[in-house]
Amino acid sequence: MSKRKMTSKRTNNANWRLAALLPLGVALNGMAMAADQPTEAQAAEKKEITLPAVKVKATRDNKSGNYKAGTSTVGTKTDTPLIETPQSISVITNDQMEAQNVSTMAEALRYTPGVQSETFGFEPRTTFIKIRGFDATETGLYRDGLKLSNPGFAVGYSLEPYGAERVEVPRGPASVLYGQASPGGLVNYVSKRPTFDPFREIKFEAGTYDRFQGELDVGGALDERKTLAYRVTGLVRGSETQVDFIKDNRIYVAPALTWKPSDDTTLTFLSHYQKDDTKPSQRLPAEGTLRTNANGKIPTNRFTGEPNIDQYRREEFAVGYALEYRVNDMVTLRQNTRYYNNEVDDRSIYTTALLADQRTISRALYESFGKVHGFNLDNQAQFKFSTAMLDHTLLSGLDFQHVGSNSLQTYGAAPNLDIFNPVYGAKVASAPVFKNEDVTQNQIGLYLQDQIKFGEHWRATLGGRYDRADSVTKNKLTGLSTTQDDNALTGRAGLVYVADNGLAPYFSYAQSFLPALGTDAAGKALRPETGEQYEFGVKFQPKNQNSFVTLAYFDLTRTDFLTPDPITYANVQRGEANSRGVELEGVASLDNGLNLTANYTYLNANVTKSSFTAEVGEPLEYTPEHKASAWADYTVPTGIAKGWGVGGGARFIGTSFGNIYAAKNTIEVPSTVLFDASTHYNWEQFQFSVNLQNALDKEYVATAFTSGGEFATFGPRRVVTGSIKYSF
């Protein structure tokens, strides 16, 4: 590394200009740096200083074949080791996603404890997420630490896993740091960032259902001084699916740029564009799927809509930046922002009932045209200092979000269809509009967190937050507007003991707050929902081993939460539910080429209060009591077979119930076991891979429910893909 010359006056002036970019902490920055400003006499004597050469070795947390992440900012918004964080957190690394060749976020989360990402089985439109028994689809999805809002399910999100460096899943209430979020937890998608080391890869993939996909990921430094770096990640896919007439086409591109003028300042611009073209998933009668039917079994490829009418088209765009400025060893300032826009056109002709002949289905046309745009801002100031025997990492923050949405929905009758011998092409009358609603929300939150180290082993985390949210819901059919003004205080506390042998028992308590946007069927403003959780656990990180184990017990209560009524589609505040359970997870990446992850979840989630008296005491719908999975991948590290590898996994999904506001547990979905497999070979700059999902091609029912009748959905069938990747 060559010698560098530095001018102290120029550095100080640059520091002041960069500090001005951060609204939060400008005054603090001025005080911190006032002592560093040169006097006129000092400026006159300014002279260049030649620094000795310093060798720097760059490292990456997620090296090739690494399933274990040592740190994560998602639980604390600071660079804290996972073993010191009093919360159960899973991190799905890029290496794990690549080994399993995941193509959706639902697939990426398959091997994660406490999470259901394929609640409705085959679902090409949106990632439906339940964490610890509670839905997080609308309120628990984040990108780079900033929320992706979806008021009233106006749109849907299906983030592209190829664009992710990692996926982080903190479980339990996270309102103290993130404001309005699902009490079960959240899923944070971390976008790929530029690096100053050049890299280029191109990948081609082909598979079942006429699947063809191309991927590109290139980046590196733009100047010799390595102050500018870029990255462009892109994907194009054309594919059929297991259901007739349903495609899975996607275009995705994500340009990123990093400016690093000094070791203390980093500014990264992140953006992406995504366009999806598919059709709605299919709900089928329970007779012929979950139960027997005199006419036979309904095939898993059966399409119940109209090929020329059904559609699901999504177009989304986002741009933002992440700025970090290190004032000195004690003070660091950060600002994260994003503007995003998402538009969805959803037309679906779906089954409403199975008629007496057990083969003819009645159908309805449902259309949803939604738009959501939003702006997020998160300002942070981090201070490191000591008082007496205590070492503090104090984080103060102010975040703001503005969300605007429009949702226009129609509903009408559609012609019947013989589900065993379908003839398509029937004329379908236009459906009348039953909802045309605009929602605008502004939210601001102030939060404070103190991470305290005392003694050699103890770590405490204390946090509090004040939220203020106001919203306006305008019914464009009636002209009436409903306003809401909600505020709340939330807190959390945790304690960890980090022993010398790698064991770390912990305890935490956390609260959540979530304003409920919109109105109920009677036009009344919805109340905010709240939640609280107690969690006990132990983490284990063996010395000198790249492995990590977490065991957690939790007791989580959620009050006044929303669930869409399956008949009217209006939001209903159900009352209260309790979720208690145990989660066990272990990950390891060993020097002998073996990578593995395994987990088990026991979940006892029940309705405790409800306006639907029949469901009080009953399990939450679509929530299996037991869930377990394990995946292992081995690559030969040396010898004549060096570069060859195999992988395999098993997933157990326990029995669940699908009733919604109905009699007690009349619909039971049986448990199932699924297997995945892969083989791969690395040769020079090439990688050849073959992946099988649901390798034994098991047909199974993913979920069932009541909605004027009894219905079920199938899980994903076997998918085989072969790929060639060239790195240069």
Side-chain angles (χ1 to χ4, degrees), residues 388-407:
M389 303 294 292
L390 307 179
D391 295 328
H392 300 263
T393 299
L394 184 67
L395 180 71
S396 63
L398 183 151
D399 59 29
F400 169 80
Q401 70 168 334
H402 166 81
V403 182
S405 71
N406 172 258
S407 179

Side-chain angles (χ1 to χ4, degrees), residues 676-690:
D676 306 313
S678 73
T679 182
H680 48 86
Y681 175 60
N682 298 324
W683 176 68
E684 295 185 350
Q685 295 169 276
F686 290 90
Q687 183 185 69
F688 306 89
S689 302
V690 176

Side-chain angles (χ1 to χ4, degrees), residues 706-720:
T706 58
S707 177
E710 294 183 344
F711 304 95
T713 59
F714 282 119
R717 296 286 301 271
R718 177 170 56 205
V719 174
V720 182

